[in-house]
Amino acid sequence: MSRKSWIEETFFKRECVKFIPPSRDLHRCIPVCQVCQNLIRCCCGRLIGEHSWQESLPPISLCPGPRQDTEEDWSIELHTKASPTNAYGTIDFQDTATRVCRAKYIRVAVDSKAEALLQLMLREWQMERPKLLLTVQGGSDNFTLPPKVKQAFSKGLITAALSTGAWILTDGINTGVSKYVGEAVKVFGGHDLRKRNTVGITPWGVIDNNIDLIGRDVFRPYQPLGNPLSKRASLNSFHSHFLLVDDGTLGKNGCQQGLRRKLEKHIQLQRIHPRLNQGVPVVCLAVEGGPALVSTVLDYVSSVPPVPVLVFEGSGRAADLLAFLHKQTAVDRPLDPDIKEDFLVRIGDVFRLDRAEAFHLYNLFLQCMEHRQSITIFDSESEDQMAPDAAILTATLKGTKACAAEQLSMALAWDRADIAQKDVLVYGQHWQVGSLEQAMLDALVMDRVSFVKLLIDNGMTMSRFLTVDRLEELYNTPQGQTDRFLQHLVEDAKQTSLPLGYRLSLIDMGLVIEYLIKGAYRSTYTRKHFRAAYSRLQDKGRRNSSASLSKQKRELIPNSPRGRSLQNLHFFRTAQPYKCKDEDVSPGRSRETTLSPGLDDAPLLVPFNFNDLFVWAVLQQRQQMALFLWQHGEEALARATVACKLYRSMAFEARQSSMDDIIAERFKAYSLLVSWRWMC
């Protein structure tokens, strides 16, 4: 199926097909006169002539007949018709002379499926998968932010988004908080469209000149400077993508919120990284806002799991009221009666509400405070306030009620070691068995040098962490072209072709190292005692796996005692724990017979250390990781010599294999860099 046909078969627009005036008392005539044609609007917001009459004939009178319902309520389900979308493509904004601003857009029905929308964004629009979702809620009308609040919001939002690979969701219009988001992207964002993942979810019916966007797979110029007398809004030119939500109405706001919330919940279910089981976290940034913002915040913090909310104090209206109540109350301290009365008056004054309406809104504020642990107040005037981007990410970690291992996974996916050090790897933190070892393995596979350094600084040692299984898992990590080149080296070293899906072993890696270095060098992985013990280890692993298969089947039976205990487990082992050496080991026993962590007391052939990881990083072409590991351990000169020889030999092999010249030049550059670093 072609891209164009898939979009039109999946996404729809909605059009009103029955004229229902909001009041029957405005005008009565038989038949419909010119006044009806030009003045009286349907509940959908359109005139008679603006309707589609493909399914029925236009009304001949607005006066109900003898058996007609005089109080028929207009609804999307009964009075609109869905048909394939007729507006999608690329918008070319015409208001910027200094930079090109283009955005992908599509008109979608209000009842569209979140799964289809995410598929569109990832596959058709080729957006990078989000590692964080920053949903910005607040005032839709124009308002003025104080300079400090504006600076903190703008810089914090974009810095957090760019450093973590986040998506930003807004209403997408050129007024209110969405306009401030656009200005933040303009000042602090990049020029690359793929890096500007700022998505506007906008009602189709409120967009000024939306008729100019009609067309299938088109390139449309768009002027965002709308008519100042128009009640409609224009799109903000610094958003990168637009979902234009159509519920069949014209000039009415609010229909986008339900679809936006569905999309947010669906994105939460996606994995933050292919290697991690953690879902994509969502955090709401609340700026200014009216009464609707209070209901929105309550929906976020009361959902399961809760969505943390960061409120920017000083931005005005609802945000300031939330900040005030959050500071004046606590879990065991309700609002003082005198302050309560002043607060009710303030609500009425800010939103121009009567006493009853103000009291109803006050109760919503109190319900928000019942989930105060998910609400964070950012005060840009405070001297001890952390950086705004750090505040956003810290609020995300603390407000989701995630355990320490899940918080570490989030920070790892974002590659924000500073957040992990400040908020996760703290004194007194409780860790599940093996979770730190799993975090180290994930950091190595994901090439997170800063996290490897952080975990080593917090006591992680290679003698505890590195095992045969983990080292082989590192060598078998999928890495595209690097995998193919490494398998090519194994085939040359073994003088044989590898079958599809072949798993590399440490013995294979020893042969590759010897093949590249040549001369009289002998790898530890190819020595006789290593091969013998490795074979015994593999045999024992196969016996254990077959013996545990029947045990696992018994454990999966719900009524069995073991099955019931597994259902009640709150902690799981992500990696085998470290097992200390036996105290009765004789002094003459070689270091090569110490216990291997995580291998059921199988004899460890060598005490794995930074050298093993360093060689892995070199063979896997992870230059920054190799440079970091080279700085740890002993014999820096010898390791630098080995790395230079490996890089030069791999450059030669790349040229001999008719691979891309860029790969050979990259190996040569790596070799020169290692030499230069050693000389320095």
Side-chain angles (χ1 to χ4, degrees), residues 332-387:
D332 55 350
R333 190 182 81 241
L335 194 64
D336 291 338
D338 295 339
I339 300 178
K340 173 184 175 181
E341 186 61 32
D342 292 340
F343 190 68
L344 281 169
V345 173
R346 189 175 173 185
I347 291 175
D349 293 341
V350 169
F351 300 117
R352 298 179 182 177
L353 303 176
D354 59 30
R355 179 75 179 185
E357 293 172 329
F359 191 78
H360 172 72
L361 191 57
Y362 168 75
N363 287 328
L364 293 182
F365 276 109
L366 291 183
Q367 292 178 47
C368 291
M369 293 305 109
E370 293 176 4
H371 308 274
R372 60 184 304 112
Q373 68 276 9
S374 296
I375 300 177
T376 304
I377 308 301
F378 184 87
D379 184 4
S380 57
E381 298 289 343
S382 176
E383 295 181 357
D384 57 350
Q385 182 69 60
M386 68 180 73

Coordinates of all heavy atoms in Angstrom, one line a residue, residues 332-387:
D332 N -0.4 17.2 56.2 CA -1.0 17.3 57.5 C -1.4 18.7 57.9 O -1.6 19.0 59.1 CB -0.1 16.7 58.6 CG 1.3 17.3 58.6 OD1 1.6 18.1 57.7 OD2 2.0 17.0 59.5
R333 N -1.4 19.6 57.0 CA -1.7 21.0 57.3 C -2.7 21.6 56.3 O -2.3 22.0 55.2 CB -0.5 21.9 57.4 CG -0.7 23.3 58.0 CD 0.6 24.1 57.9 NE 0.8 24.7 56.6 CZ 1.9 24.5 55.9 NH1 2.8 23.6 56.3 NH2 2.1 25.1 54.7
P334 N -4.0 21.7 56.6 CA -5.0 22.3 55.7 C -4.8 23.8 55.7 O -4.1 24.4 56.4 CB -6.3 21.8 56.3 CG -6.0 21.7 57.8 CD -4.6 21.2 57.9
L335 N -5.5 24.4 54.8 CA -5.5 25.8 54.6 C -6.2 26.5 55.8 O -7.3 26.1 56.2 CB -6.2 26.2 53.3 CG -5.9 27.6 52.8 CD1 -4.5 27.8 52.4 CD2 -6.8 27.8 51.5
D336 N -5.5 27.5 56.3 CA -6.1 28.3 57.4 C -7.4 28.9 57.0 O -7.6 29.4 55.8 CB -5.1 29.4 57.9 CG -3.9 28.8 58.6 OD1 -4.0 27.7 59.0 OD2 -2.9 29.5 58.6
P337 N -8.4 29.0 57.9 CA -9.7 29.6 57.5 C -9.6 31.0 57.0 O -10.3 31.4 56.0 CB -10.5 29.6 58.8 CG -9.9 28.5 59.6 CD -8.4 28.5 59.3
D338 N -8.8 31.9 57.6 CA -8.6 33.2 57.1 C -8.1 33.3 55.7 O -8.5 34.0 54.8 CB -7.7 34.0 58.0 CG -8.4 34.2 59.4 OD1 -9.6 34.1 59.5 OD2 -7.6 34.5 60.4
I339 N -7.1 32.4 55.4 CA -6.4 32.4 54.1 C -7.4 31.8 53.1 O -7.5 32.2 51.9 CB -5.1 31.5 54.2 CG1 -4.1 32.2 55.1 CG2 -4.5 31.4 52.8 CD1 -2.9 31.4 55.3
K340 N -8.3 30.8 53.6 CA -9.2 30.2 52.7 C -10.2 31.3 52.1 O -10.5 31.3 50.9 CB -10.0 29.1 53.4 CG -11.2 28.6 52.6 CD -12.0 27.6 53.4 CE -13.2 27.1 52.7 NZ -14.0 26.1 53.4
E341 N -10.7 32.2 53.0 CA -11.6 33.2 52.5 C -10.9 34.1 51.6 O -11.5 34.5 50.5 CB -12.1 34.0 53.8 CG -13.2 35.0 53.4 CD -14.5 34.3 52.8 OE1 -14.8 33.2 53.2 OE2 -15.1 35.0 52.0
D342 N -9.7 34.5 51.9 CA -9.0 35.4 50.9 C -8.7 34.7 49.6 O -8.8 35.3 48.5 CB -7.7 35.8 51.5 CG -7.8 36.8 52.7 OD1 -8.9 37.4 52.8 OD2 -6.9 36.9 53.5
F343 N -8.5 33.4 49.7 CA -8.2 32.6 48.5 C -9.5 32.5 47.6 O -9.4 32.6 46.3 CB -7.7 31.2 48.8 CG -7.2 30.4 47.7 CD1 -6.0 30.8 47.0 CD2 -7.9 29.3 47.2 CE1 -5.5 30.0 46.0 CE2 -7.4 28.6 46.2 CZ -6.2 28.9 45.6
L344 N -10.6 32.3 48.2 CA -11.9 32.3 47.4 C -12.1 33.6 46.7 O -12.6 33.7 45.6 CB -13.0 32.0 48.4 CG -13.2 30.5 48.8 CD1 -14.2 30.3 49.9 CD2 -13.7 29.7 47.5
V345 N -11.9 34.7 47.4 CA -12.1 36.1 46.8 C -11.1 36.2 45.7 O -11.5 36.8 44.6 CB -11.9 37.2 47.9 CG1 -11.9 38.5 47.2 CG2 -12.9 37.1 49.0
R346 N -9.9 35.7 45.9 CA -8.9 35.9 44.8 C -9.3 35.1 43.6 O -9.1 35.5 42.4 CB -7.5 35.4 45.4 CG -6.4 35.7 44.4 CD -5.1 35.3 45.1 NE -3.9 35.4 44.2 CZ -2.7 35.0 44.5 NH1 -2.4 34.5 45.7 NH2 -1.7 35.1 43.6
I347 N -9.8 33.9 43.8 CA -10.3 33.1 42.6 C -11.4 33.8 41.9 O -11.3 33.9 40.6 CB -10.8 31.7 43.1 CG1 -9.7 30.8 43.7 CG2 -11.5 31.0 42.0 CD1 -10.2 29.5 44.3
G348 N -12.3 34.4 42.6 CA -13.4 35.1 41.9 C -12.9 36.3 41.2 O -13.4 36.6 40.1
D349 N -11.9 37.0 41.7 CA -11.4 38.2 41.1 C -10.6 37.8 39.8 O -10.7 38.5 38.8 CB -10.5 39.0 42.1 CG -11.3 39.6 43.2 OD1 -12.5 39.7 43.0 OD2 -10.7 40.0 44.2
V350 N -9.7 36.8 39.9 CA -8.9 36.4 38.8 C -9.7 35.9 37.6 O -9.4 36.3 36.5 CB -7.9 35.3 39.3 CG1 -7.1 34.7 38.1 CG2 -6.9 35.9 40.3
F351 N -10.7 35.1 37.9 CA -11.4 34.5 36.8 C -12.8 35.1 36.6 O -13.6 34.6 35.7 CB -11.6 33.0 37.1 CG -10.3 32.2 37.2 CD1 -10.0 31.6 38.4 CD2 -9.4 32.2 36.1 CE1 -8.8 30.9 38.5 CE2 -8.2 31.5 36.3 CZ -7.9 30.8 37.4
R352 N -13.1 36.1 37.4 CA -14.4 36.8 37.3 C -15.6 35.8 37.4 O -16.5 35.7 36.6 CB -14.5 37.5 35.9 CG -13.5 38.6 35.7 CD -13.6 39.3 34.4 NE -12.5 40.3 34.2 CZ -12.3 41.0 33.1 NH1 -13.1 40.8 32.1 NH2 -11.3 41.9 33.1
L353 N -15.6 35.2 38.6 CA -16.6 34.2 38.9 C -17.4 34.6 40.1 O -16.9 35.4 40.9 CB -15.9 32.8 39.2 CG -15.0 32.2 38.1 CD1 -14.4 30.9 38.7 CD2 -15.8 31.9 36.8
D354 N -18.7 34.1 40.1 CA -19.5 34.4 41.3 C -19.1 33.5 42.5 O -18.2 32.6 42.3 CB -20.9 34.3 41.0 CG -21.3 32.9 40.5 OD1 -20.7 31.9 40.9 OD2 -22.3 32.8 39.7
R355 N -19.7 33.6 43.6 CA -19.3 32.9 44.8 C -19.4 31.4 44.6 O -18.5 30.6 45.0 CB -20.1 33.3 46.0 CG -19.9 32.6 47.3 CD -18.6 33.1 47.9 NE -18.3 32.5 49.2 CZ -17.3 32.8 50.0 NH1 -16.5 33.8 49.7 NH2 -17.1 32.2 51.1
A356 N -20.5 30.9 44.0 CA -20.7 29.5 43.9 C -19.7 28.9 42.9 O -19.1 27.8 43.1 CB -22.1 29.2 43.4
E357 N -19.4 29.6 41.8 CA -18.5 29.1 40.8 C -17.1 29.1 41.4 O -16.3 28.2 41.2 CB -18.5 30.0 39.6 CG -19.8 29.8 38.8 CD -19.9 30.8 37.6 OE1 -19.3 32.0 37.8 OE2 -20.5 30.5 36.6
A358 N -16.7 30.1 42.2 CA -15.4 30.2 42.8 C -15.2 29.1 43.8 O -14.2 28.5 43.9 CB -15.2 31.5 43.5
F359 N -16.3 28.7 44.6 CA -16.2 27.6 45.5 C -16.0 26.3 44.8 O -15.3 25.4 45.3 CB -17.5 27.6 46.4 CG -17.4 26.7 47.6 CD1 -16.7 27.1 48.7 CD2 -17.9 25.5 47.6 CE1 -16.5 26.3 49.8 CE2 -17.8 24.6 48.7 CZ -17.1 25.0 49.8
H360 N -16.7 26.1 43.7 CA -16.5 24.9 42.9 C -15.1 24.7 42.5 O -14.5 23.7 42.6 CB -17.5 24.8 41.8 CG -17.2 23.7 40.8 ND1 -17.5 22.4 41.1 CD2 -16.7 23.7 39.6 CE1 -17.2 21.6 40.1 NE2 -16.7 22.3 39.2
L361 N -14.5 25.8 42.0 CA -13.1 25.8 41.5 C -12.2 25.6 42.6 O -11.1 24.9 42.5 CB -12.8 27.1 40.7 CG -11.5 27.1 39.9 CD1 -11.5 26.0 38.9 CD2 -11.3 28.5 39.2
Y362 N -12.5 26.2 43.8 CA -11.7 26.0 45.0 C -11.6 24.5 45.4 O -10.5 24.0 45.8 CB -12.3 26.8 46.2 CG -11.7 26.5 47.5 CD1 -10.4 26.9 47.8 CD2 -12.4 25.7 48.4 CE1 -9.9 26.6 49.1 CE2 -11.8 25.4 49.7 CZ -10.6 25.9 50.0 OH -10.0 25.6 51.2
N363 N -12.7 23.8 45.3 CA -12.7 22.3 45.6 C -11.8 21.6 44.6 O -11.1 20.6 45.0 CB -14.1 21.8 45.5 CG -14.9 22.2 46.7 OD1 -14.4 22.4 47.8 ND2 -16.2 22.4 46.5
L364 N -11.7 22.0 43.3 CA -10.8 21.4 42.4 C -9.4 21.6 42.7 O -8.5 20.7 42.6 CB -11.1 21.9 40.9 CG -12.4 21.5 40.3 CD1 -12.5 22.1 38.9 CD2 -12.6 20.0 40.3
F365 N -9.1 22.8 43.2 CA -7.7 23.1 43.7 C -7.3 22.2 44.9 O -6.2 21.7 44.9 CB -7.6 24.6 44.2 CG -7.4 25.6 43.1 CD1 -8.4 26.5 42.6 CD2 -6.1 25.7 42.5 CE1 -8.1 27.4 41.7 CE2 -5.9 26.6 41.5 CZ -6.9 27.5 41.1
L366 N -8.3 22.0 45.8 CA -8.0 21.1 46.9 C -7.8 19.7 46.5 O -6.9 19.0 47.1 CB -9.1 21.2 47.9 CG -9.3 22.5 48.7 CD1 -10.5 22.4 49.7 CD2 -8.0 22.9 49.4
Q367 N -8.5 19.2 45.5 CA -8.3 17.9 45.0 C -7.0 17.7 44.4 O -6.3 16.7 44.5 CB -9.4 17.5 44.0 CG -10.8 17.4 44.6 CD -11.9 17.1 43.5 OE1 -11.7 16.3 42.7 NE2 -13.0 17.9 43.6
C368 N -6.5 18.8 43.7 CA -5.1 18.8 43.2 C -4.1 18.6 44.3 O -3.1 17.9 44.1 CB -4.8 20.0 42.4 SG -5.7 20.2 40.8
M369 N -4.3 19.3 45.4 CA -3.4 19.2 46.5 C -3.4 17.8 47.2 O -2.4 17.5 47.9 CB -3.7 20.3 47.5 CG -3.5 21.7 47.1 SD -1.8 22.0 46.5 CE -2.1 22.2 44.7
E370 N -4.4 17.0 47.0 CA -4.4 15.6 47.5 C -3.3 14.8 46.8 O -2.9 13.7 47.3 CB -5.8 15.0 47.3 CG -6.8 15.6 48.2 CD -8.2 15.0 47.9 OE1 -8.3 14.1 47.1 OE2 -9.2 15.5 48.5
H371 N -2.8 15.3 45.6 CA -1.8 14.6 44.9 C -0.5 15.5 44.8 O 0.1 15.6 43.8 CB -2.3 14.2 43.5 CG -3.5 13.5 43.5 ND1 -3.6 12.1 43.6 CD2 -4.8 13.9 43.4 CE1 -4.9 11.7 43.6 NE2 -5.6 12.8 43.4
R372 N -0.3 16.2 45.9 CA 0.8 17.2 45.9 C 2.2 16.7 45.6 O 3.0 17.4 45.1 CB 0.8 18.0 47.2 CG 1.0 17.2 48.4 CD 0.9 18.0 49.7 NE 1.8 19.1 49.7 CZ 1.4 20.4 49.7 NH1 0.1 20.6 49.7 NH2 2.2 21.4 49.7
Q373 N 2.4 15.4 45.9 CA 3.7 14.8 45.6 C 4.0 14.8 44.1 O 5.2 14.6 43.7 CB 3.8 13.4 46.2 CG 2.9 12.4 45.5 CD 1.5 12.4 46.0 OE1 1.1 13.2 46.8 NE2 0.7 11.4 45.6
S374 N 3.0 14.9 43.3 CA 3.2 14.9 41.8 C 3.2 16.3 41.3 O 3.3 16.5 40.1 CB 2.1 14.1 41.1 OG 2.1 12.8 41.5
I375 N 3.2 17.3 42.1 CA 3.2 18.7 41.7 C 4.5 19.4 42.2 O 4.8 19.3 43.4 CB 2.0 19.5 42.2 CG1 0.7 18.9 41.7 CG2 2.0 21.0 41.8 CD1 -0.6 19.5 42.2
T376 N 5.2 20.0 41.3 CA 6.4 20.8 41.7 C 6.3 22.2 41.3 O 5.8 22.5 40.2 CB 7.6 20.2 41.0 OG1 7.7 18.8 41.3 CG2 8.9 20.9 41.4
I377 N 6.7 23.1 42.2 CA 6.6 24.5 41.9 C 8.0 25.1 41.5 O 8.9 24.8 42.3 CB 6.0 25.3 43.1 CG1 4.7 24.7 43.6 CG2 5.8 26.8 42.8 CD1 3.6 24.6 42.6
F378 N 8.0 25.7 40.4 CA 9.3 26.4 40.0 C 9.2 27.9 40.2 O 8.4 28.5 39.5 CB 9.6 26.0 38.5 CG 11.0 26.6 38.1 CD1 12.1 25.8 38.3 CD2 11.1 27.8 37.5 CE1 13.4 26.3 37.9 CE2 12.3 28.3 37.1 CZ 13.5 27.6 37.3
D379 N 10.0 28.4 41.1 CA 10.1 29.8 41.4 C 11.3 30.4 40.8 O 12.4 30.2 41.4 CB 10.0 30.0 42.9 CG 9.9 31.5 43.3 OD1 9.8 32.3 42.4 OD2 9.9 31.8 44.5
S380 N 11.2 31.1 39.7 CA 12.4 31.7 39.1 C 13.0 32.8 39.9 O 14.2 33.2 39.6 CB 12.0 32.2 37.7 OG 11.0 33.2 37.8
E381 N 12.3 33.3 40.9 CA 12.8 34.4 41.7 C 13.7 33.9 42.9 O 14.4 34.6 43.5 CB 11.7 35.2 42.3 CG 10.9 36.0 41.2 CD 11.6 37.1 40.6 OE1 12.6 37.5 41.1 OE2 11.2 37.5 39.5
S382 N 13.6 32.6 43.2 CA 14.3 32.0 44.3 C 15.8 31.9 44.0 O 16.1 31.4 42.9 CB 13.7 30.6 44.6 OG 14.4 30.0 45.7
E383 N 16.6 32.2 44.9 CA 18.1 32.1 44.7 C 18.6 30.7 44.7 O 19.6 30.4 44.1 CB 18.8 33.0 45.8 CG 18.5 34.5 45.7 CD 19.2 35.2 46.8 OE1 19.9 34.6 47.6 OE2 19.1 36.5 46.8
D384 N 17.9 29.8 45.5 CA 18.4 28.4 45.6 C 17.7 27.5 44.6 O 17.8 26.3 44.7 CB 18.3 27.9 47.0 CG 16.8 28.0 47.5 OD1 16.0 28.6 46.8 OD2 16.6 27.5 48.6
Q385 N 17.0 28.1 43.6 CA 16.3 27.2 42.7 C 17.3 26.6 41.7 O 18.2 27.3 41.2 CB 15.2 28.1 41.9 CG 14.4 27.3 40.9 CD 13.5 26.3 41.6 OE1 12.6 26.7 42.3 NE2 13.6 25.1 41.3
M386 N 17.1 25.4 41.4 CA 18.0 24.7 40.4 C 17.7 25.2 39.0 O 16.8 25.9 38.8 CB 17.8 23.2 40.5 CG 16.5 22.7 40.0 SD 16.3 20.9 40.2 CE 16.1 20.7 41.9
A387 N 18.6 24.8 38.1 CA 18.4 25.1 36.7 C 17.1 24.6 36.2 O 16.6 23.5 36.6 CB 19.6 24.6 35.9

